[in-house]
Amino acid sequence: MNKLTNKNIVLGVCGSIAAYKSADLIRRLTELGANIRVVMTQSANEFITPLTLQTLSQNPVHQHLLDCDSESNMSHIELARWADIILIAPCSANFIAKLAHGAADDLLSTVCLATRSPIIIVPAMNNAMWENPATQENIHTLEKREVIRFGPAAGNQACGETGLGRMQEPVQIINNLNEMFQAKLLHGQHILITAGPTQEDIDPVRYISNRSSGKMGFAIAKAAVEAGSKVTLICGPVQRSTPRHVDRIDVRTAEQMNTAVSNFVTQADIFISTAAVADYRPQVTQSEKIKKTSEDLKLELVRNPDILLNVANAANPPFTVGFAAETNNVKENALTKLKLKSLDMIAANQVGNEKGGFDSDENALAVFWPGGEILLPMATKEKIARELIAIVAERFQVSRFSETNPIIKNR
Ligand code: C5P
């Protein structure tokens, strides 16, 4: 079955000469079994008729926000809920600006504001409009909000100029959509992820912590959502925006993280422990700020719970993935941890060097599981996260399969 079969797509069409391509796009999408509901902006009418798009999509075209007939047919909220994705092709500079500012003054912008599903824009405009700092700032805002963008392509433009701004061709858009839906490797699974550092209080103003930024854990959470799973992210103190569709729980100390993990772990199919949990905490947290009275100061530290170890050794553990941030002997230390903590997988990286690791945007990982390993060379944390999730998904399926097929497991 095609990846687009039975997918519900709200196709937004804006006012652009490229709107003629929307007709071909609809025809191809319906041939692949997608259900299409077209929402046209007012100016789209100047370029293509609703009748054309209605005939091709085999559904009424939606155009008006405050219209009894349209609302009784399918309201803006119903359209927003119905959509598996909202695809806006062509997407004009004006609509990009409206989307960036959260406008809700017509049907398409209101549906975009009301949806929890991914929004994809396929820009189409003159290259000077595309390059204008106003448009670029709006695009940047949308990227931060995880609006997906296909194109624009470069080449000859209807205005006679050449450059970036052409709407992507329908065939390319369909290839991109197929790739997106293909990625749903973990559909229906619940993934619990920890991220960031923990802070262990010394007194009301001081704590012990580490340099973890949470970037890797957040990138993994995002990749897990893209792969179709429900994601709960338990994070230590980090200033990061929560990826779309991720349930986030903020904690500060290792003990709080441990409690939060035990509250959710029984519902989880997979546990990924990226958090740099402090191994020790002060035995006593002073209730008042410690004064600078003596020449030296001794802090008594006690062990924190090993959250990962506890999860992996619980009665009915999820598929458990640990992280090993090491300054030396990366492979050896990772393999020891994999065994000692009875993990299903461990992802090791070198920290304390110039590139990769804690606060960097890039990382390289060596991933080990009983009987296998794979190296993920230096790349952005987003790319590494997607690759790691693909490996986790594969090993998770294998472990599920061998649990239900003991002959294979015992081989
Ligand atoms: O043994 P080590 O602390 O180096 O193991 C690192 C792995 O264990 C990481 O996945 C980290 O998130 C997890 N960990 C934990 N609880 C601790 C310490 C580390 O879950 N107290």
Side-chain angles (χ1 to χ4, degrees), residues 166-200:
R166 282 170 60 98
M167 176 173 144
Q168 261 190 0
E169 296 304 319
V171 173
Q172 179 67 52
I173 295 172
I174 286 173
N175 285 345
N176 294 343
L177 289 174
N178 263 320
E179 221 169 82
M180 255 183 69
F181 284 115
Q182 204 131 28
K184 303 253 175 254
L185 299 166
L186 289 168
H187 181 75
Q189 309 301 337
H190 183 176
I191 305 200
L192 181 64
I193 300 169
T194 62
T198 63
Q199 291 177 353
E200 311 299 326

Side-chain angles (χ1 to χ4, degrees), residues 182-360:
Q182 204 131 28
K184 303 253 175 254
L185 299 166
L186 289 168
H187 181 75
Q189 309 301 337
H190 183 176
I191 305 200
L192 181 64
I193 300 169
T194 62
T198 63
Q199 291 177 353
E200 311 299 326
D201 292 341
I202 298 170
D203 67 18
V205 293
R206 302 183 181 99
Y207 54 77
I208 299 172
S209 192
N210 57 62
R211 294 183 205 280
S212 168
S213 63
K215 277 181 196 158
M216 195 67 230
F218 275 60
I220 291 173
K222 188 175 162 205
V225 168
E226 283 170 8
S229 59
K230 173 178 162 56
V231 178
T232 305
L233 177 65
I234 299 174
C235 52
V238 287
Q239 300 288 324
R240 314 206 72 82
S241 54
T242 315
R244 272 164 76 104
H245 305 299
V246 166
D247 292 328
R248 170 174 177 167
I249 292 146
D250 288 295
V251 296
R252 236 167 47 73
T253 67
E255 286 184 304
Q256 289 167 1
M257 190 173 273
N258 190 34
T259 308
V261 167
S262 24
N263 287 344
F264 284 93
V265 76
T266 50
Q267 305 157 27
D269 302 289
I270 298 170
F271 174 60
I272 305 181
S273 177
T274 58
V277 187
D279 291 326
Y280 295 90
R281 66 176 184 279
Q283 186 173 34
V284 181
T285 302
Q286 300 298 334
S287 56
E288 286 174 15
K289 186 182 169 200
I290 301 172
K291 294 273 180 277
K292 194 176 33 178
T293 45
S294 57
E295 266 315 299
D296 53 14
L297 175 72
K298 286 199 173 55
L299 272 181
E300 194 79 40
L301 301 179
V302 291
R303 280 288 288 269
N304 266 329
D306 191 322
I307 305 169
L308 179 63
L309 181 81
N310 294 346
V311 169
N313 293 279
N316 198 4
F319 183 89
T320 304
V321 184
F323 263 70
E326 304 290 348
T327 50
N328 53 320
N329 297 337
V330 178
K331 180 170 180 175
E332 202 183 314
N333 288 331
L335 287 175
T336 308
K337 262 177 221 176
L338 180 73
K339 213 165 166 201
L340 274 182
K341 299 197 185 191
S342 313
L343 306 178
D344 293 298
M345 186 180 280
I346 192 151
N349 63 323
Q350 183 134 14
V351 288
N353 51 359
E354 272 178 20
K355 232 179 162 205
F358 270 180
D359 198 24
S360 160

Side-chain angles (χ1 to χ4, degrees), residues 93 96-98 100-101 133-143:
I96 287 172
K98 282 169 63 162
H101 290 88
T135 305
Q136 288 305 309
E137 262 176 45
N138 291 332
I139 287 288
H140 185 62
T141 305
L142 295 181
E143 272 169 8

